[in-house]
Amino acid sequence: MRGRKGFLAVIERQTGNVRQVVEDILNGKFNHSRGSLELSCQRIQLEVDADTVTEGSFTIIGLPGRVTEGDVISSDLRMQCVSPGFSGVQDEIFYRFDAHGMEPGEEAKGDFHIISNQGEYYIPFSVSITVRTIVSSMGEI
């Protein structure tokens, strides 16, 4: 997770002037005309085998005719954002979960934090490590 410096970098990129944004906030000036984002999913639930890497994606859709910019940060180190930045009306965010070192039955939970010029959003995720089974001609082993 990036922390405070990463958050300030996002503000800098989106507005061009962090000092001005902070000054406006301190003076009670807020931009209320942000709009909203549409997310292709509200929650991500995965079941993966131990010692594997799994990839997936979700889509962020902004308002038509308005450029949406921002960053996506994961709260869990095992869940990486392969494409953490986005810009445009619509963008696909790719992620990768690394289950190396995890045991069957373990679970990892966290959130994708979406920080954008259209507001902040969260997509919770849950990853369960499954028990690997082998299927033979006689059934599961």
Side-chain angles (χ1 to χ4, degrees):
M1 191 157 66
R2 289 187 205 184
R4 186 173 174 200
K5 287 184 181 181
F7 178 72
L8 292 177
V10 170
I11 292 175
E12 179 76 35
R13 189 170 65 248
Q14 292 177 0
T15 65
N17 187 347
V18 173
R19 185 171 305 229
Q20 183 63 48
V21 170
V22 171
E23 191 173 305
D24 287 348
I25 291 171
L26 291 174
N27 291 325
K29 297 178 185 176
F30 299 96
N31 180 1
H32 295 290
S33 62
R34 291 193 163 199
S36 63
L37 297 180
E38 183 180 330
L39 306 172
S40 63
C41 62
Q42 297 304 310
R43 171 179 297 279
I44 296 171
Q45 292 183 297
L46 303 172
E47 290 187 5
V48 302
D49 291 332
D51 297 321
T52 61
V53 174
T54 302
E55 296 183 343
S57 68
F58 59 89
T59 303
I60 297 173
I61 304 166
L63 294 173
R66 191 161 181 195
V67 175
T68 301
E69 296 178 306
D71 284 307
V72 181
I73 303 167
S74 171
S75 65
D76 189 305
L77 292 175
R78 291 183 180 275
M79 183 67 84
Q80 300 173 343
C81 290
V82 179
S83 53
F86 60 94
S87 179
V89 176
Q90 179 174 323
D91 215 340
E92 190 169 10
I93 304 298
F94 294 92
Y95 58 83
R96 178 181 303 131
F97 185 81
D98 186 350
H100 285 92
M102 295 185 77
E103 298 291 326
E106 282 189 85
E107 188 172 29
K109 291 184 177 186
D111 296 291
F112 286 110
H113 302 270
I114 302 166
I115 303 166
S116 78
N117 61 346
Q118 304 295 314
E120 292 186 31
Y121 300 83
Y122 297 92
I123 298 177
F125 62 80
S126 174
V127 183
S128 300
I129 307 303
T130 60
V131 177
R132 192 177 299 188
T133 58
I134 300 171
V135 180
S136 72
S137 61
M138 297 179 68
E140 289 185 4
I141 298 176

